[in-house]
Every structure is written in structure tokens, then in C-alpha cells.
């Protein structure tokens, strides 16, 4: 039931603090300040490589996880969309962990990829929201998200819950591989415990973002830019916008823009920049200046520090709380979801049932 909300998508966006907390509860031991995964009968320390496979929004959660697994656990990660992975004859060596991410647990290409990896002797881990799904049944390591049923076709709360589980998994792999001290693990647990409050702080910008919808709704094209783990968020922002508002949108790695898409920039193309302050910020700001020098209109999503430094001259700014880099992708998901939602509402599209789309894609 939608309760006081106008659409399921809106309700599901607002459920995120609760369902992310609910999901994290089964992966964190708060008193001991450790990460805890479900019981498994093999040693994760023996994993020498991770292959991540998924589709759509779940694939973007996997892209974020690649940054985390490499940075924290120093594990090599290969990632692909399921429809490509299956047919490219991937090299799968012994000792590999194959990780599948899916809200429904039934997406045909992802399930076929899972079976391919199983036949090739990989250990199979799945992050799924439907515990009775085919993928859940066929996994060696089941990592459930506890997002509750997701009705809106555009995935929102399942995505942030996937990120929460993947962050916990990254920390766990890092501990197993001796890459995190006890203190560092405790710090990560503390940050994850803070996430729901940070999601609430992000949701508090709802009305302000609704007020910006008229700036984006008339556009024919919109560009999203991000760097590092916020690059997949740029891809996710673009996907959300195109699927529910039918505006053409593209996500790009900030630094890659000058290798082509900058040719598109003029006054009519809004550019949404996702850039938490931190070591990558300066570089992204210079990419932003390249956009502005060509008349491009920038919406900057950053924290107070970032906005103080680079907010001047932007079409609009959206201030996120200052958060640990590990949880930034979860928090920055909220404004991109809200922006897509409000633009779609402004355009009068069918937000929960966008044309041509199905909630669960069971054909290949
Ligand atoms: C986008 C969206 C889709 C799904 C994709 C995978 O908002 O919902 O891109 O993410 O079809 O679905 P699952 O996660 O069920 O495998």
C-alpha cells in the first residue's frame, strides 16, 4: 500500500533509512563492532579473484563494489553485465568467487551466468532481495537484502540495500585477508551504523529537489558526471532519469568527458555533478569548469565544503551531509533518485509503470 505517498517509487525512496538499517542489522555486530556474514562452509580468505555479474541498477551496485573490494580487500575484480558475460567465454580460474546481484533473483541473463559459473567451479555468492528466488536457492553464499517487496519498476531501495550488503562484504573480505586492523573494521562498522541517519539527512532535501524539477524537465539531454565510486552513481542517475522521465541521459566518468561528450555541452544540457569533497574533488571541479566554460548548466551535488569551494555559478546545488567515502554512494543515491522522481512527476509520466519496462526480466 502506498499510504500517504503518491507513488510506490516515492514510498520506496523514503523507506531507505529503515530498510538499510534492517539490512545492516544482519551483517553487523554492533557491540563487538565487527562485520558478520552468514555461516558458510568455505574459507573466504582463500578467494583470489571476484567476478561480479548483474544487470541494470544491480550492475551499478556491483560497479561500486568493485572499487570497494579492490581498495579495502586488495582483491582483483572483474565485472560485466550478464548479457555480455555469458557469451564472451570469460576466463574463470579455480579459487574464484562469482558474485551475482539481483533484486528479483530471477533475471534470466544473471541466472544463466550464475549457472555458467557454477559449472566452471566458481564459488557462488548472491546478493538478492527475494529469499525464495532461483538465485537464492542456487547460491553457496546467500547474502540477502532486507528491502521488503519493491513495487516501483525503477529500483531504489533495493539498490541502497545492495550497497549496504556489499560494503559489509568488502569489509569482511578485507578482514579475512588481513587488510584491515581491528580499529579500521570498527571504524567501518561505525560508519555503516550512521548510514540511516545520513540517508534521512539526504531525504530532507526532497522539497528543494522538487523545486528544481522544472529546470531539468524541459531538457532533451542530461549528463551525469562522477568519479571513483561516484561514477557508477552517475550511471545510475542517468538510468533512473531516462527510464521514468524519458529524457535522454548519460552517465560519464568526469575525466572522460573531454574525450567526446563535451561536444554535446551547451546551455540546453543540464550537467549533474556528483562530487563529495575529498581527494578526487579538485579534479572533478576542473571537469566542471570545462562544462561551465562552454555555457553548460551545472547542478552540483556535494557537501558543505564542496559547495563552498565550487558552488558559485552553478544552476543549483544540493548539499549532502559530509560522510565517510565508504557510505557516500549510498547517500548520493538519494538525490539522484529524488531528482528523477520529481522530473518524471513534473512531466506527468507513469512513474511506477514506465512504458516498455517490466519489474522482473525473465527473458534473455
Ligand atoms: C532499473 C531497474 C533495472 C533492474 C534490472 C535488474 O531501475 O530496476 O535496471 O535493476 O532489470 O533486475 P534485478 O535486480 O531484479 O536482477
Amino acid at each position: 500500500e502506498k499510504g500517504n505517498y503518491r507513488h510506490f517509487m516515492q514510498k520506496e525512496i523514503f523507506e531507505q533509512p529503515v530498510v538499510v538499517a534492517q539490512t545492516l542489522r544482519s551483517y553487523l555486530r554492533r557491540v563487538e563492532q565487527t562485520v558478520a556474514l552468514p555461516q558458510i562452509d568455505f574459507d573466504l580468505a582463500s578467494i583470489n579473484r571476484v567476478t561480479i555479474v548483474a544487470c541494470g541498477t544491480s550492475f551499478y551496485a556491483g560497479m561500486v563494489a568493485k572499487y570497494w573490494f579492490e581498495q579495502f580487500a586488495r582483491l582483483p575484480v572483474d565485472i560485466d553485465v550478464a548479457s555480455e558475460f555469458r557469451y564472451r567465454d570469460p576466463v574463470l580460474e579455480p579459487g574464484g568467487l562469482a558474485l551475482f546481484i539481483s533484486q528479483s533473483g530471477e533475471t534470466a541473463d544473471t541466472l544463466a551466468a550464475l549457472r555458467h559459473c557454477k559449472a566452471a567451479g566458481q564459488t557462488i555468492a548472491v546478493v538478492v532481495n527475494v529469499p525464495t528466488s532461483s538465485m537464492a536457492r542456487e547460491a553457496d553464499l546467500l547474502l540477502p537484502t532486507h528491502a521488503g517487496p519493491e513495487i516501483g519498476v525503477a529500483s531504489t531501495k533495493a539498490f541502497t540495500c545492495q550497497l549496504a550488503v556489499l560494503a559489509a562484504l568488502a569489509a569482511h573480505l578485507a578482514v579475512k585477508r588481513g587488510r584491515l586492523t581491528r580499529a579500521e573494521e570498527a571504524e567501518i562498522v561505525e560508519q555503516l551504523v550512521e548510514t540511516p541517519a545520513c540517508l534521512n539527512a539526504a531525504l530532507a532535501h526532497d522539497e528543494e529537489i522538487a523545486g528544481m524539477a522544472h529546470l531539468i524537465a524541459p531538457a532533451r539531454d542530461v549528463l551525469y558526471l562522477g568519479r571513483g565510486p561516484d561514477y557508477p552513481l552517475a550511471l545510475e542517475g542517468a538510468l533512473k532519469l531516462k527510464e521514468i522521465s524519458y529524457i535522454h541521459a548519460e552517465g560519464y566518468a568526469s575525466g572522460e568527458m573531454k574525450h567526446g561528450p563535451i561536444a554535446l555541452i551547451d546551455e540546453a544540457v543540464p550537467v549533474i555533478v556528483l562530487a563529495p569533497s575529498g581527494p578526487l574533488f579538485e579534479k572533478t571541479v576542473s571537469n566542471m569548469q570545462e562544462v561551465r566554460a562552454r555555457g553548460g548548466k551545472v547542478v552540483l551535488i556535494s557537501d558543505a565544503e564542496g559547495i563552498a569551494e565550487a558552488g558559485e555559478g552553478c544552476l543549483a546545488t544540493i548539499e549532502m551531509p559530509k560522510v565517510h567515502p565508504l557510505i557516500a554512494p549510498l547517500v548520493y543515491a538519494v538525490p539522484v533518485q529524488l531528482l528523477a522522481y520529481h522530473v518524471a512527476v513534473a512531466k506527468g509520466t507513469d512513474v511506477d509503470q514506465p512504458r516498455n519496462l517490466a519489474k522482473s526480466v525473465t527473458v534473455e
Side-chain angles (χ1 to χ4, degrees):
E1 276 320 297
K2 283 191 287 239
N4 290 330
Y5 294 100
R6 196 163 154 200
H7 297 99
F8 281 108
M9 183 185 178
Q10 185 188 28
K11 172 174 176 259
E12 289 162 2
I13 291 172
F14 277 86
E15 277 172 359
Q16 292 178 110
V18 171
V19 295
V20 165
Q22 191 166 288
T23 298
L24 284 170
R25 211 165 292 141
S26 56
Y27 292 89
L28 305 179
R29 295 219 176 91
R30 290 186 63 168
V31 178
E32 296 87 342
Q33 290 198 302
T34 57
V35 175
L37 293 193
Q39 286 298 325
I40 34 169
D41 55 8
F42 58 88
D43 185 10
L44 277 174
S46 66
I47 297 298
N48 52 23
R49 186 188 170 89
V50 182
T51 302
I52 304 178
V53 184
C55 300
T57 289
S58 298
F59 171 69
Y60 297 145
M63 278 183 78
V64 174
K66 174 184 165 80
Y67 287 89
W68 289 339
F69 293 175
E70 290 179 344
Q71 187 189 342
F72 293 106
R74 304 306 297 153
L75 262 171
V77 177
D78 178 31
I79 175 161
D80 208 347
V81 291
S83 55
E84 283 301 313
F85 177 82
R86 289 182 54 200
Y87 302 109
R88 72 174 159 86
D89 202 7
V91 179
L92 297 165
E93 281 165 2
L97 179 74
L99 173 63
F100 301 85
I101 307 167
S102 175
Q103 187 283 127
S104 62
E106 301 295 347
T107 301
D109 280 314
T110 311
L111 184 57
L114 182 158
R115 290 174 178 158
H116 178 90
C117 288
K118 197 166 210 179
Q122 302 290 288
T123 299
I124 308 296
V126 302
V127 176
V128 288
N129 195 43
V130 181
T132 52
S133 60
S134 305
M135 286 181 218
R137 284 197 306 272
E138 296 185 27
D140 301 311
L141 173 57
L142 171 60
L143 302 168
T145 47
H146 301 290
E150 193 180 59
I151 311 292
V153 164
S155 187
T156 53
K157 62 175 181 170
F159 176 67
T160 42
C161 287
Q162 287 166 350
L163 290 177
V165 171
L166 293 164
L169 178 60
H172 184 81
L173 288 168
V175 169
K176 285 274 170 196
R177 292 168 59 79
R179 299 285 179 171
L180 280 188
T181 63
R182 272 292 299 123
E184 286 164 337
E185 183 183 12
E187 152 85 356
I188 286 179
V189 171
E190 198 153 303
Q191 293 301 327
L192 288 171
V193 168
E194 288 297 310
T195 308
C198 298
L199 293 172
N200 269 319
L203 285 166
H205 293 272
D206 180 47
E207 260 181 52
E208 180 193 338
I209 295 172
M212 290 173 194
H214 73 280
L215 301 173
I216 311 294
R220 198 188 61 183
D221 311 286
V222 177
L223 218 54
Y224 285 75
L225 302 179
R227 231 173 228 280
D230 299 294
Y231 162 46
L233 259 292
L235 296 170
E236 169 62 2
L239 176 62
K240 285 287 94 94
L241 188 72
K242 64 189 137 188
E243 69 182 330
I244 62 170
S245 76
Y246 314 144
I247 296 174
H248 168 242
E250 277 191 65
Y252 248 91
S254 308
E256 189 63 11
M257 192 194 51
K258 55 179 153 315
H259 300 286
I262 198 160
L264 291 172
I265 302 293
D266 63 22
E267 312 72 54
V269 182
V271 181
I272 320 290
V273 179
L274 300 159
S277 65
L280 301 176
F281 188 72
E282 290 306 323
K283 293 244 187 282
T284 302
V285 169
S286 62
N287 303 135
M288 222 172 89
Q289 312 299 14
E290 293 159 4
V291 170
R292 293 233 297 258
R294 285 153 187 88
K297 298 212 177 78
V298 174
V299 176
L300 174 64
I301 309 181
S302 184
D303 45 40
E305 203 178 309
I307 289 174
E309 191 176 327
E312 215 179 287
C314 289
L315 177 65
T317 58
I318 307 173
E319 187 185 318
M320 291 293 102
K322 170 94 181 142
V323 293
H324 188 275
L326 179 71
I327 67 165
L330 284 101
V331 175
Y332 281 64
V334 171
V336 300
Q337 294 166 349
L338 286 173
L339 194 61
Y341 173 75
H342 288 297
V343 170
V345 169
K347 296 199 74 170
T349 58
D350 187 346
V351 171
D352 284 333
Q353 286 290 331
R355 68 187 180 205
N356 311 339
L357 291 173
K359 183 67 189 160
S360 185
V361 182
T362 51
V363 290
E364 296 177 17

